[in-house]
Amino acid sequence: MENEQKAIYIGLLGMGTVGSGVIEVLNKNAEDISKRVGAPIKLKKILVRDKRKTRANVDTALLTDNFDDIINDSDISIIIEVIGGIKPAKDYIVRALNAGKSVVTANKDVMSTSGKEIFCAASENNVDIHFEASVGGGIPIIMPLKECLTANVITEVMGIVNGTTNYMLTKMTEDGADYNAVLKEAQKKGYAEANPAADVDGLDAARKAAILASLAFNTRIGFDDVSVEGITKISPTDIGYARELGYVIKLIAVGKNINGRIDVRVNPALLPTSHPLASVNGVYNAIFVRGNAIGEAMFYGPGAGSLPTASAVVADVITTARNILRGSLGKNYCTCYDNKPLCPVEDTKSSYYVRLLVDDEPGVLGTIATTFGESGVNLKSVMQTTREIKNHAEIVVITHLVEHRKILCAAEALKNLPVINVLKNIIRVENEENLNG
Ligand code: NAP
Ligand code: HSE
């Protein structure tokens, strides 16, 4: 009875993949959650777009399609936003905070574009804002960066942060699966964004990269600051060559502090099979952090999916509920106290994989090597194979570490050579030369 009086009421915005998982976790773990918080957590209302949809495991009396029913409910002290996208999610988050309600969100779109505004609204209204599920699905990484690793100066965060593309690349690598078929599978499993272009074009990972870099380097990095390349240009041929050379291709999010400037980007990369991120497969994500006290640490787990993501969301709800009971709401301040400049992508350094379709003639290799050399690009290895097209050969080059601007310059010069038929692909290589920053 005493517990009943102290119940903490929640309004849930969205009952799709993540929202349904949140309801399931709150229900099946209710007893333990109640003991951990010191009060039961009760779902009071659920906002959906379409109330007529058939939904499993929910009391339909809780459903509403009107946000006002939730914002005006004075019993509700925590709002969970799992609608996704900017509109109307951002407006709902800000209105909830301004109404004195704490917010838990999985929304990287909003946090990577309006983080400052959201934190200001939370702090002005003395309420909490938590967003653990916005990066890495079920993996704890926001709290470790905001709390557990704060003794360190962090120099690098690098991760596989998009479950959909990692699932796709894994299936393409291990089973030779077709790109479109495997994308459909990822959508069916509930991993993909409402518009899966956000996954395959690298935008989802870029949003997460912005959040990670902001937390790691204590400086505000927005989605627009991230240089982005997706996986659409990765072909089975590239995957095959990478394998022959001892690499796997992964979509990685990178944040590096390079002498005070922040390099933040998302791109496909060849990783040596011995690299810890190379064996992160399927929907699993991992975030590798380098700090000047801890050395290297890696956070690994399911990066998407209903229950894993709900695990992070509900943990944030528990943190908020405890803060309500302790009277310590509104203390999880913004940690972006610095204003570090960005490192332009042209200044960043990598090794590169370059694949060319060329005329199979004497002297071609020499011409190509000279062209790279004239652009200041030093070659590490060259592989030539004769492919199905008559009188043509394919050349795969791995370069030594070089500035991005020089590889772009070499690419332009190569495209103008009469012996080059097509410059098929250029992909960064994270090998031993650049793994240490
Ligand atoms: P989803 O399956 O598409 O569900 C979205 C929910 O929001 C649905 O219940 C939908 O209502 C409701 N909704 C959409 N527009 C609305 C509107 N204008 N007004 C009211 N309700 C609206 O999305 P999700 O996969 O659960 O993702 C939710 C959030 O979690 C996103 O920010 C996503 O990036 C993030 N996230 C997802 C995952 C994952 O594995 N899926 C992992 C980590 C983070 P109806 O049911 O009526 O259509
Ligand atoms: N679409 C996202 C992914 C969901 O595939 O990782 C988790 O944020």
Side-chain angles (χ1 to χ4, degrees), residues 18 106 108 133-138 160-167 186 190-196 198-199 204-205 208 283 285 302-305 309:
V18 181
K108 56 260 169 174
S134 65
V135 181
I160 293 172
V161 293
N162 182 267
T164 302
T165 48
N166 203 43
Y167 181 82
Y191 305 153
E193 294 301 294
N195 176 1
D199 297 294
D204 174 79
K208 293 166 179 168
V283 73
N285 282 190
T309 309

Side-chain angles (χ1 to χ4, degrees), residues 2-264:
E2 197 188 333
N3 257 357
E4 272 309 300
Q5 285 164 353
K6 285 199 286 181
I8 290 172
Y9 288 100
I10 291 172
L12 177 65
L13 314 183
M15 199 198 152
T17 304
V18 181
S20 306
V22 166
I23 296 173
E24 187 177 336
V25 172
L26 284 173
N27 284 339
K28 77 174 173 192
N29 297 341
E31 205 181 316
D32 282 304
I33 290 172
S34 172
K35 285 181 194 155
R36 284 170 193 160
V37 171
I41 305 254
K42 298 211 163 161
L43 199 52
K44 183 93 190 282
K45 290 194 174 85
I46 305 168
L47 179 74
V48 290
R49 188 169 29 194
D50 180 2
K51 273 180 26 170
R52 290 163 307 174
K53 249 190 205 174
T54 314
R55 299 175 198 268
N57 307 324
V58 70
D59 172 1
T60 52
L62 301 185
L63 296 176
T64 174
D65 53 12
N66 184 355
F67 178 63
D68 288 346
D69 290 343
I70 294 182
I71 194 92
N72 294 329
D73 187 326
S74 57
D75 285 344
I76 292 177
S77 52
I78 304 175
I79 290 189
I80 302 173
E81 183 281 308
V82 282
I83 290 175
I86 303 283
K87 277 186 186 168
K90 181 194 157 189
D91 179 48
Y92 291 168
I93 291 172
V94 173
R95 283 173 63 193
L97 296 169
N98 286 336
K101 299 180 193 298
S102 293
V103 172
V104 170
T105 178
N107 197 320
K108 56 260 169 174
D109 302 52
V110 170
M111 293 311 294
S112 65
T113 50
S114 306
K116 190 172 179 188
E117 184 185 342
I118 304 282
F119 265 103
C120 284
S123 128
E124 276 162 18
N125 293 288
N126 220 22
V127 289
D128 275 12
I129 171 77
H130 296 281
F131 49 102
E132 185 61 69
S134 65
V135 181
I139 307 174
I141 183 63
I142 304 293
M143 193 65 110
L145 286 173
K146 273 179 92 77
E147 305 278 350
C148 321
L149 291 170
T150 44
N152 290 262
V153 171
I154 292 174
T155 50
E156 183 180 346
V157 276
M158 180 158 103
I160 293 172
V161 293
N162 182 267
T164 302
T165 48
N166 203 43
Y167 181 82
M168 292 173 69
L169 289 172
T170 303
K171 288 271 180 181
M172 287 164 73
T173 303
E174 289 180 353
D175 312 335
D178 170 72
Y179 180 97
N180 290 312
V182 77
L183 171 57
K184 279 209 180 91
E185 263 181 53
Q187 284 178 283
K188 241 197 207 156
K189 287 176 183 280
Y191 305 153
E193 294 301 294
N195 176 1
D199 297 294
V200 296
D201 290 340
L203 308 178
D204 174 79
R207 292 179 177 114
K208 293 166 179 168
I211 295 170
L212 288 177
S214 298
L215 295 171
F217 307 121
N218 304 103
T219 188
R220 174 75 52 207
I221 309 271
F223 168 62
D224 290 337
D225 297 324
V226 184
S227 151
V228 194
E229 251 180 81
I231 64 159
T232 48
K233 67 172 191 179
I234 302 300
S235 71
T237 310
D238 296 312
I239 291 174
Y241 280 127
R243 183 188 291 118
E244 277 180 52
L245 292 163
Y247 295 94
V248 288
I249 300 183
K250 296 285 185 189
L251 183 72
I252 56 168
V254 178
K256 287 184 186 177
N257 183 338
I258 302 176
N259 303 321
R261 296 194 302 169
I262 306 303
D263 164 21
V264 57

